[in-house]
Amino acid sequence: MKIGILSRNRKLYSTKRLATAAEQRGHEVHVINHIRCYMNIASFKPSIHYDGKVLSDFDAIIPRIGASVTFYGTAVVRQFEMMGVFSLNESVAISRSRDKLRSMQLLARKGIGLPVTGFANSPADTDDLLDLVGGAPVVVKLLEGTQGKGIVLAETRKAAESVVEAFRGLNANFLVQEFVKEAGGADIRCFVVGDKVVAAMKRQAQEGEFRSNLHRGGSAQLIKITPEERSTAVRAAKIMGLNVSGVDLLRSNHGPVVMEVNSSPGLQGIEEATGKDVASLIIEYIEKNSKTGSNRTRGKG
Ligand code: ADP
Ligand code: MG
């Protein structure tokens, strides 16, 4: 097969691993910097160009779209879908997962366990909003934050009010969430491919930090998850419409709660912690599922 990996940097661990795994399985691989792609949005023959050349005959693409370029990146993915190319994760699903509020609403709709979460627009409602999620301590999150940036733990009501006021002043959209203290600064990353959790790790935040992101100095180790955690992760991925995803769970007093579903989960942490060849499992999934024109949405917004 001819597989395109949409990535801005071919030296990134995940990009390299996916490229190597695909080559080892006999595929032709091209790493495409999606930011450099330009498009011809025509009814009959949509096309994608790169550095003066037309990108054609791809069987499948693997989008690795960074959070800062979601808008343009998903447009490129959509264009591939319009051309009938199989995308490992479809553009609508990627956009969905990048908006924390939208994701939470979709998951709640289907009865997935979530931390109690509130959202309000008017400053007049701050007081009530904080009560709604059970009062301090609360976690305040920017809707489009990633890698632990834009997430604040407000331990007192006064602190919560100040953070909310500051975010409002910046015209930022955010949500307010119950702080799941009993998780003890740890979360569980379930790496889902198709309808299976193929690897899972526990990430523990550094001393004095509540965010367990590896980018924030968290440490990772292999973990055995419960059947309930497994089924929650698989269901969450399915609801989001993602074929490959990283579902992050917290172990709360009321069972596993989903914090977020990532559409471009990194491979380094999970492969190192679990010793699993996740990259090859992803390529295998593409081999089995990538019939031309088999995208569900075919470029629909
Ligand atoms: P990001 O997209 O920036 O990774 P997350 O929502 O995953 O944002 O939050 C980052 C980290 O902060 C999580 O991995 C978790 O360790 C911690 N965290 C986030 N929300 C909560 C919460 N409600 N209760 C306890 N810890 C949380
Ligand atoms: Mg996270």
Side-chain angles (χ1 to χ4, degrees), residues 234-268:
V234 170
R235 281 187 61 216
K238 188 157 192 243
I239 293 164
M240 300 300 294
L242 293 166
N243 295 319
V244 167
S245 64
V247 181
D248 295 342
L249 305 174
L250 290 175
R251 282 184 168 163
S252 84
N253 289 337
H254 44 102
V257 289
V258 173
M259 227 172 4
E260 66 169 344
V261 185
N262 289 284
S263 54
S264 290
L267 292 183
Q268 185 161 18

PDB file of all heavy atoms in Angstrom, residues 234-268:
ATOM      1  N   VAL A 234     -12.883   1.658  25.356  1.00  0.00           N
ATOM      2  CA  VAL A 234     -13.295   1.266  24.004  1.00  0.00           C
ATOM      3  C   VAL A 234     -14.581   1.993  23.596  1.00  0.00           C
ATOM      4  O   VAL A 234     -14.699   2.490  22.468  1.00  0.00           O
ATOM      5  CB  VAL A 234     -13.472  -0.283  23.926  1.00  0.00           C
ATOM      6  CG1 VAL A 234     -14.129  -0.697  22.633  1.00  0.00           C
ATOM      7  CG2 VAL A 234     -12.119  -0.969  24.098  1.00  0.00           C
ATOM      8  N   ARG A 235     -15.513   2.095  24.547  1.00  0.00           N
ATOM      9  CA  ARG A 235     -16.769   2.794  24.231  1.00  0.00           C
ATOM     10  C   ARG A 235     -16.519   4.272  23.960  1.00  0.00           C
ATOM     11  O   ARG A 235     -17.089   4.862  23.040  1.00  0.00           O
ATOM     12  CB  ARG A 235     -17.765   2.644  25.382  1.00  0.00           C
ATOM     13  CG  ARG A 235     -18.467   1.277  25.381  1.00  0.00           C
ATOM     14  CD  ARG A 235     -19.561   1.238  26.435  1.00  0.00           C
ATOM     15  NE  ARG A 235     -20.580   2.246  26.195  1.00  0.00           N
ATOM     16  CZ  ARG A 235     -21.222   2.921  27.156  1.00  0.00           C
ATOM     17  NH1 ARG A 235     -20.919   2.713  28.409  1.00  0.00           N
ATOM     18  NH2 ARG A 235     -22.143   3.805  26.846  1.00  0.00           N
ATOM     19  N   ALA A 236     -15.651   4.891  24.755  1.00  0.00           N
ATOM     20  CA  ALA A 236     -15.373   6.324  24.569  1.00  0.00           C
ATOM     21  C   ALA A 236     -14.771   6.568  23.183  1.00  0.00           C
ATOM     22  O   ALA A 236     -15.158   7.505  22.476  1.00  0.00           O
ATOM     23  CB  ALA A 236     -14.438   6.822  25.663  1.00  0.00           C
ATOM     24  N   ALA A 237     -13.830   5.708  22.779  1.00  0.00           N
ATOM     25  CA  ALA A 237     -13.192   5.864  21.466  1.00  0.00           C
ATOM     26  C   ALA A 237     -14.233   5.737  20.359  1.00  0.00           C
ATOM     27  O   ALA A 237     -14.249   6.498  19.386  1.00  0.00           O
ATOM     28  CB  ALA A 237     -12.104   4.812  21.291  1.00  0.00           C
ATOM     29  N   LYS A 238     -15.136   4.793  20.539  1.00  0.00           N
ATOM     30  CA  LYS A 238     -16.154   4.540  19.528  1.00  0.00           C
ATOM     31  C   LYS A 238     -17.123   5.728  19.417  1.00  0.00           C
ATOM     32  O   LYS A 238     -17.485   6.160  18.324  1.00  0.00           O
ATOM     33  CB  LYS A 238     -16.900   3.265  19.927  1.00  0.00           C
ATOM     34  CG  LYS A 238     -17.833   2.810  18.897  1.00  0.00           C
ATOM     35  CD  LYS A 238     -18.131   1.343  19.025  1.00  0.00           C
ATOM     36  CE  LYS A 238     -18.814   0.949  17.798  1.00  0.00           C
ATOM     37  NZ  LYS A 238     -19.925   0.505  17.500  1.00  0.00           N
ATOM     38  N   ILE A 239     -17.514   6.271  20.569  1.00  0.00           N
ATOM     39  CA  ILE A 239     -18.439   7.409  20.565  1.00  0.00           C
ATOM     40  C   ILE A 239     -17.798   8.606  19.847  1.00  0.00           C
ATOM     41  O   ILE A 239     -18.439   9.329  19.100  1.00  0.00           O
ATOM     42  CB  ILE A 239     -18.835   7.793  22.012  1.00  0.00           C
ATOM     43  CG1 ILE A 239     -19.676   6.676  22.625  1.00  0.00           C
ATOM     44  CG2 ILE A 239     -19.583   9.116  22.048  1.00  0.00           C
ATOM     45  CD1 ILE A 239     -19.813   6.751  24.141  1.00  0.00           C
ATOM     46  N   MET A 240     -16.503   8.791  20.048  1.00  0.00           N
ATOM     47  CA  MET A 240     -15.800   9.893  19.391  1.00  0.00           C
ATOM     48  C   MET A 240     -15.584   9.607  17.912  1.00  0.00           C
ATOM     49  O   MET A 240     -15.243  10.497  17.141  1.00  0.00           O
ATOM     50  CB  MET A 240     -14.434  10.126  20.044  1.00  0.00           C
ATOM     51  CG  MET A 240     -14.478  10.488  21.515  1.00  0.00           C
ATOM     52  SD  MET A 240     -15.395  11.977  21.831  1.00  0.00           S
ATOM     53  CE  MET A 240     -14.342  13.159  21.030  1.00  0.00           C
ATOM     54  N   GLY A 241     -15.737   8.359  17.511  1.00  0.00           N
ATOM     55  CA  GLY A 241     -15.547   7.993  16.105  1.00  0.00           C
ATOM     56  C   GLY A 241     -14.077   7.881  15.725  1.00  0.00           C
ATOM     57  O   GLY A 241     -13.719   8.026  14.557  1.00  0.00           O
ATOM     58  N   LEU A 242     -13.218   7.602  16.724  1.00  0.00           N
ATOM     59  CA  LEU A 242     -11.781   7.501  16.430  1.00  0.00           C
ATOM     60  C   LEU A 242     -11.362   6.033  16.335  1.00  0.00           C
ATOM     61  O   LEU A 242     -11.689   5.229  17.209  1.00  0.00           O
ATOM     62  CB  LEU A 242     -10.972   8.185  17.542  1.00  0.00           C
ATOM     63  CG  LEU A 242     -11.133   9.704  17.645  1.00  0.00           C
ATOM     64  CD1 LEU A 242     -10.580  10.221  18.981  1.00  0.00           C
ATOM     65  CD2 LEU A 242     -10.427  10.397  16.475  1.00  0.00           C
ATOM     66  N   ASN A 243     -10.644   5.672  15.290  1.00  0.00           N
ATOM     67  CA  ASN A 243     -10.148   4.297  15.138  1.00  0.00           C
ATOM     68  C   ASN A 243      -8.922   4.071  16.007  1.00  0.00           C
ATOM     69  O   ASN A 243      -8.680   2.964  16.485  1.00  0.00           O
ATOM     70  CB  ASN A 243      -9.789   4.012  13.683  1.00  0.00           C
ATOM     71  CG  ASN A 243     -11.014   4.044  12.792  1.00  0.00           C
ATOM     72  OD1 ASN A 243     -12.075   3.545  13.174  1.00  0.00           O
ATOM     73  ND2 ASN A 243     -10.884   4.638  11.613  1.00  0.00           N
ATOM     74  N   VAL A 244      -8.109   5.120  16.130  1.00  0.00           N
ATOM     75  CA  VAL A 244      -6.935   5.041  16.999  1.00  0.00           C
ATOM     76  C   VAL A 244      -6.992   6.225  17.938  1.00  0.00           C
ATOM     77  O   VAL A 244      -7.183   7.361  17.502  1.00  0.00           O
ATOM     78  CB  VAL A 244      -5.635   5.075  16.162  1.00  0.00           C
ATOM     79  CG1 VAL A 244      -4.429   5.325  17.053  1.00  0.00           C
ATOM     80  CG2 VAL A 244      -5.459   3.756  15.420  1.00  0.00           C
ATOM     81  N   SER A 245      -6.863   5.956  19.226  1.00  0.00           N
ATOM     82  CA  SER A 245      -6.928   7.075  20.169  1.00  0.00           C
ATOM     83  C   SER A 245      -6.267   6.718  21.488  1.00  0.00           C
ATOM     84  O   SER A 245      -6.003   5.553  21.776  1.00  0.00           O
ATOM     85  CB  SER A 245      -8.388   7.469  20.434  1.00  0.00           C
ATOM     86  OG  SER A 245      -9.066   6.412  21.067  1.00  0.00           O
ATOM     87  N   GLY A 246      -6.003   7.755  22.257  1.00  0.00           N
ATOM     88  CA  GLY A 246      -5.507   7.577  23.621  1.00  0.00           C
ATOM     89  C   GLY A 246      -6.601   8.063  24.552  1.00  0.00           C
ATOM     90  O   GLY A 246      -6.915   9.242  24.569  1.00  0.00           O
ATOM     91  N   VAL A 247      -7.205   7.134  25.276  1.00  0.00           N
ATOM     92  CA  VAL A 247      -8.285   7.504  26.186  1.00  0.00           C
ATOM     93  C   VAL A 247      -7.706   7.614  27.600  1.00  0.00           C
ATOM     94  O   VAL A 247      -7.127   6.663  28.109  1.00  0.00           O
ATOM     95  CB  VAL A 247      -9.430   6.465  26.168  1.00  0.00           C
ATOM     96  CG1 VAL A 247     -10.553   6.894  27.110  1.00  0.00           C
ATOM     97  CG2 VAL A 247      -9.961   6.264  24.755  1.00  0.00           C
ATOM     98  N   ASP A 248      -7.850   8.791  28.199  1.00  0.00           N
ATOM     99  CA  ASP A 248      -7.300   9.023  29.535  1.00  0.00           C
ATOM    100  C   ASP A 248      -8.377   8.900  30.591  1.00  0.00           C
ATOM    101  O   ASP A 248      -9.393   9.591  30.541  1.00  0.00           O
ATOM    102  CB  ASP A 248      -6.666  10.416  29.608  1.00  0.00           C
ATOM    103  CG  ASP A 248      -5.452  10.521  28.688  1.00  0.00           C
ATOM    104  OD1 ASP A 248      -4.931   9.466  28.294  1.00  0.00           O
ATOM    105  OD2 ASP A 248      -5.047  11.653  28.377  1.00  0.00           O
ATOM    106  N   LEU A 249      -8.115   8.013  31.548  1.00  0.00           N
ATOM    107  CA  LEU A 249      -9.085   7.763  32.615  1.00  0.00           C
ATOM    108  C   LEU A 249      -8.505   8.159  33.960  1.00  0.00           C
ATOM    109  O   LEU A 249      -7.292   8.098  34.171  1.00  0.00           O
ATOM    110  CB  LEU A 249      -9.398   6.266  32.708  1.00  0.00           C
ATOM    111  CG  LEU A 249      -9.887   5.515  31.480  1.00  0.00           C
ATOM    112  CD1 LEU A 249      -9.969   4.022  31.809  1.00  0.00           C
ATOM    113  CD2 LEU A 249     -11.254   6.025  31.063  1.00  0.00           C
ATOM    114  N   LEU A 250      -9.388   8.541  34.858  1.00  0.00           N
ATOM    115  CA  LEU A 250      -8.993   8.736  36.256  1.00  0.00           C
ATOM    116  C   LEU A 250      -9.719   7.678  37.071  1.00  0.00           C
ATOM    117  O   LEU A 250     -10.881   7.355  36.774  1.00  0.00           O
ATOM    118  CB  LEU A 250      -9.431  10.121  36.750  1.00  0.00           C
ATOM    119  CG  LEU A 250      -8.726  11.356  36.212  1.00  0.00           C
ATOM    120  CD1 LEU A 250      -9.409  12.619  36.743  1.00  0.00           C
ATOM    121  CD2 LEU A 250      -7.256  11.361  36.615  1.00  0.00           C
ATOM    122  N   ARG A 251      -9.031   7.129  38.077  1.00  0.00           N
ATOM    123  CA  ARG A 251      -9.690   6.184  38.978  1.00  0.00           C
ATOM    124  C   ARG A 251     -10.357   6.987  40.080  1.00  0.00           C
ATOM    125  O   ARG A 251      -9.702   7.468  40.989  1.00  0.00           O
ATOM    126  CB  ARG A 251      -8.668   5.214  39.567  1.00  0.00           C
ATOM    127  CG  ARG A 251      -8.291   4.141  38.565  1.00  0.00           C
ATOM    128  CD  ARG A 251      -7.361   3.096  39.115  1.00  0.00           C
ATOM    129  NE  ARG A 251      -7.297   1.978  38.164  1.00  0.00           N
ATOM    130  CZ  ARG A 251      -6.348   1.059  38.161  1.00  0.00           C
ATOM    131  NH1 ARG A 251      -5.381   1.086  39.051  1.00  0.00           N
ATOM    132  NH2 ARG A 251      -6.378   0.084  37.265  1.00  0.00           N
ATOM    133  N   SER A 252     -11.669   7.147  39.976  1.00  0.00           N
ATOM    134  CA  SER A 252     -12.377   7.958  40.972  1.00  0.00           C
ATOM    135  C   SER A 252     -13.139   7.034  41.920  1.00  0.00           C
ATOM    136  O   SER A 252     -13.267   5.842  41.658  1.00  0.00           O
ATOM    137  CB  SER A 252     -13.350   8.909  40.278  1.00  0.00           C
ATOM    138  OG  SER A 252     -14.563   8.241  40.004  1.00  0.00           O
ATOM    139  N   ASN A 253     -13.660   7.607  43.000  1.00  0.00           N
ATOM    140  CA  ASN A 253     -14.443   6.822  43.962  1.00  0.00           C
ATOM    141  C   ASN A 253     -15.684   6.224  43.319  1.00  0.00           C
ATOM    142  O   ASN A 253     -16.216   5.242  43.788  1.00  0.00           O
ATOM    143  CB  ASN A 253     -14.888   7.714  45.129  1.00  0.00           C
ATOM    144  CG  ASN A 253     -13.702   8.067  46.002  1.00  0.00           C
ATOM    145  OD1 ASN A 253     -12.702   7.349  46.005  1.00  0.00           O
ATOM    146  ND2 ASN A 253     -13.795   9.164  46.739  1.00  0.00           N
ATOM    147  N   HIS A 254     -16.140   6.866  42.239  1.00  0.00           N
ATOM    148  CA  HIS A 254     -17.321   6.322  41.570  1.00  0.00           C
ATOM    149  C   HIS A 254     -16.959   5.650  40.244  1.00  0.00           C
ATOM    150  O   HIS A 254     -17.668   5.771  39.250  1.00  0.00           O
ATOM    151  CB  HIS A 254     -18.436   7.374  41.430  1.00  0.00           C
ATOM    152  CG  HIS A 254     -17.971   8.727  40.983  1.00  0.00           C
ATOM    153  ND1 HIS A 254     -18.109   9.182  39.699  1.00  0.00           N
ATOM    154  CD2 HIS A 254     -17.357   9.732  41.670  1.00  0.00           C
ATOM    155  CE1 HIS A 254     -17.593  10.400  39.610  1.00  0.00           C
ATOM    156  NE2 HIS A 254     -17.142  10.758  40.784  1.00  0.00           N
ATOM    157  N   GLY A 255     -15.842   4.962  40.229  1.00  0.00           N
ATOM    158  CA  GLY A 255     -15.451   4.174  39.047  1.00  0.00           C
ATOM    159  C   GLY A 255     -14.608   4.986  38.080  1.00  0.00           C
ATOM    160  O   GLY A 255     -14.251   6.132  38.368  1.00  0.00           O
ATOM    161  N   PRO A 256     -14.254   4.381  36.928  1.00  0.00           N
ATOM    162  CA  PRO A 256     -13.397   5.104  35.991  1.00  0.00           C
ATOM    163  C   PRO A 256     -14.142   6.276  35.351  1.00  0.00           C
ATOM    164  O   PRO A 256     -15.294   6.130  34.957  1.00  0.00           O
ATOM    165  CB  PRO A 256     -13.068   4.044  34.926  1.00  0.00           C
ATOM    166  CG  PRO A 256     -14.105   2.985  35.063  1.00  0.00           C
ATOM    167  CD  PRO A 256     -14.601   3.031  36.472  1.00  0.00           C
ATOM    168  N   VAL A 257     -13.480   7.439  35.306  1.00  0.00           N
ATOM    169  CA  VAL A 257     -14.077   8.586  34.608  1.00  0.00           C
ATOM    170  C   VAL A 257     -13.132   8.994  33.474  1.00  0.00           C
ATOM    171  O   VAL A 257     -11.910   8.953  33.624  1.00  0.00           O
ATOM    172  CB  VAL A 257     -14.349   9.785  35.548  1.00  0.00           C
ATOM    173  CG1 VAL A 257     -15.499   9.481  36.503  1.00  0.00           C
ATOM    174  CG2 VAL A 257     -13.108  10.182  36.328  1.00  0.00           C
ATOM    175  N   VAL A 258     -13.711   9.359  32.350  1.00  0.00           N
ATOM    176  CA  VAL A 258     -12.910   9.737  31.189  1.00  0.00           C
ATOM    177  C   VAL A 258     -12.571  11.213  31.275  1.00  0.00           C
ATOM    178  O   VAL A 258     -13.452  12.055  31.471  1.00  0.00           O
ATOM    179  CB  VAL A 258     -13.676   9.462  29.870  1.00  0.00           C
ATOM    180  CG1 VAL A 258     -12.907  10.021  28.673  1.00  0.00           C
ATOM    181  CG2 VAL A 258     -13.903   7.971  29.691  1.00  0.00           C
ATOM    182  N   MET A 259     -11.298  11.526  31.128  1.00  0.00           N
ATOM    183  CA  MET A 259     -10.879  12.913  31.152  1.00  0.00           C
ATOM    184  C   MET A 259     -10.810  13.465  29.753  1.00  0.00           C
ATOM    185  O   MET A 259     -11.233  14.560  29.473  1.00  0.00           O
ATOM    186  CB  MET A 259      -9.507  12.982  31.780  1.00  0.00           C
ATOM    187  CG  MET A 259      -9.393  14.034  32.800  1.00  0.00           C
ATOM    188  SD  MET A 259      -7.834  13.869  33.607  1.00  0.00           S
ATOM    189  CE  MET A 259      -7.026  12.572  32.770  1.00  0.00           C
ATOM    190  N   GLU A 260     -10.212  12.698  28.869  1.00  0.00           N
ATOM    191  CA  GLU A 260     -10.176  13.151  27.485  1.00  0.00           C
ATOM    192  C   GLU A 260      -9.828  12.002  26.557  1.00  0.00           C
ATOM    193  O   GLU A 260      -9.341  10.962  26.969  1.00  0.00           O
ATOM    194  CB  GLU A 260      -9.203  14.318  27.307  1.00  0.00           C
ATOM    195  CG  GLU A 260      -7.759  13.964  27.535  1.00  0.00           C
ATOM    196  CD  GLU A 260      -6.828  15.088  27.080  1.00  0.00           C
ATOM    197  OE1 GLU A 260      -7.244  15.981  26.330  1.00  0.00           O
ATOM    198  OE2 GLU A 260      -5.655  15.043  27.479  1.00  0.00           O
ATOM    199  N   VAL A 261     -10.110  12.235  25.273  1.00  0.00           N
ATOM    200  CA  VAL A 261      -9.803  11.247  24.251  1.00  0.00           C
ATOM    201  C   VAL A 261      -8.913  11.945  23.221  1.00  0.00           C
ATOM    202  O   VAL A 261      -9.330  12.919  22.598  1.00  0.00           O
ATOM    203  CB  VAL A 261     -11.092  10.712  23.580  1.00  0.00           C
ATOM    204  CG1 VAL A 261     -10.758   9.597  22.599  1.00  0.00           C
ATOM    205  CG2 VAL A 261     -12.073  10.201  24.634  1.00  0.00           C
ATOM    206  N   ASN A 262      -7.684  11.473  23.095  1.00  0.00           N
ATOM    207  CA  ASN A 262      -6.712  12.112  22.192  1.00  0.00           C
ATOM    208  C   ASN A 262      -6.704  11.437  20.830  1.00  0.00           C
ATOM    209  O   ASN A 262      -6.622  10.217  20.740  1.00  0.00           O
ATOM    210  CB  ASN A 262      -5.304  11.999  22.788  1.00  0.00           C
ATOM    211  CG  ASN A 262      -5.139  12.897  23.992  1.00  0.00           C
ATOM    212  OD1 ASN A 262      -4.991  14.093  23.853  1.00  0.00           O
ATOM    213  ND2 ASN A 262      -5.220  12.323  25.174  1.00  0.00           N
ATOM    214  N   SER A 263      -6.707  12.262  19.779  1.00  0.00           N
ATOM    215  CA  SER A 263      -6.764  11.678  18.434  1.00  0.00           C
ATOM    216  C   SER A 263      -5.382  11.452  17.820  1.00  0.00           C
ATOM    217  O   SER A 263      -5.266  10.757  16.812  1.00  0.00           O
ATOM    218  CB  SER A 263      -7.606  12.559  17.513  1.00  0.00           C
ATOM    219  OG  SER A 263      -7.121  13.874  17.532  1.00  0.00           O
ATOM    220  N   SER A 264      -4.333  12.042  18.387  1.00  0.00           N
ATOM    221  CA  SER A 264      -2.969  11.752  17.906  1.00  0.00           C
ATOM    222  C   SER A 264      -2.109  11.345  19.097  1.00  0.00           C
ATOM    223  O   SER A 264      -1.158  12.050  19.465  1.00  0.00           O
ATOM    224  CB  SER A 264      -2.344  12.975  17.232  1.00  0.00           C
ATOM    225  OG  SER A 264      -2.962  13.265  16.008  1.00  0.00           O
ATOM    226  N   PRO A 265      -2.446  10.226  19.739  1.00  0.00           N
ATOM    227  CA  PRO A 265      -1.692   9.855  20.938  1.00  0.00           C
ATOM    228  C   PRO A 265      -0.245   9.529  20.597  1.00  0.00           C
ATOM    229  O   PRO A 265       0.029   8.894  19.576  1.00  0.00           O
ATOM    230  CB  PRO A 265      -2.425   8.610  21.448  1.00  0.00           C
ATOM    231  CG  PRO A 265      -3.124   8.043  20.260  1.00  0.00           C
ATOM    232  CD  PRO A 265      -3.446   9.207  19.370  1.00  0.00           C
ATOM    233  N   GLY A 266       0.668   9.974  21.447  1.00  0.00           N
ATOM    234  CA  GLY A 266       2.094   9.715  21.216  1.00  0.00           C
ATOM    235  C   GLY A 266       2.419   8.240  21.418  1.00  0.00           C
ATOM    236  O   GLY A 266       1.776   7.558  22.209  1.00  0.00           O
ATOM    237  N   LEU A 267       3.433   7.768  20.701  1.00  0.00           N
ATOM    238  CA  LEU A 267       3.796   6.350  20.795  1.00  0.00           C
ATOM    239  C   LEU A 267       4.949   6.088  21.759  1.00  0.00           C
ATOM    240  O   LEU A 267       5.085   4.994  22.293  1.00  0.00           O
ATOM    241  CB  LEU A 267       4.187   5.818  19.410  1.00  0.00           C
ATOM    242  CG  LEU A 267       3.060   5.735  18.385  1.00  0.00           C
ATOM    243  CD1 LEU A 267       3.568   5.137  17.092  1.00  0.00           C
ATOM    244  CD2 LEU A 267       1.930   4.888  18.926  1.00  0.00           C
ATOM    245  N   GLN A 268       5.779   7.112  21.966  1.00  0.00           N
ATOM    246  CA  GLN A 268       6.993   6.864  22.734  1.00  0.00           C
ATOM    247  C   GLN A 268       6.701   6.393  24.164  1.00  0.00           C
ATOM    248  O   GLN A 268       7.168   5.329  24.580  1.00  0.00           O
ATOM    249  CB  GLN A 268       7.860   8.121  22.771  1.00  0.00           C
ATOM    250  CG  GLN A 268       9.189   7.875  23.469  1.00  0.00           C
ATOM    251  CD  GLN A 268      10.230   8.922  23.128  1.00  0.00           C
ATOM    252  OE1 GLN A 268       9.908  10.007  22.643  1.00  0.00           O
ATOM    253  NE2 GLN A 268      11.476   8.600  23.369  1.00  0.00           N
TER     254      GLN A 268
END
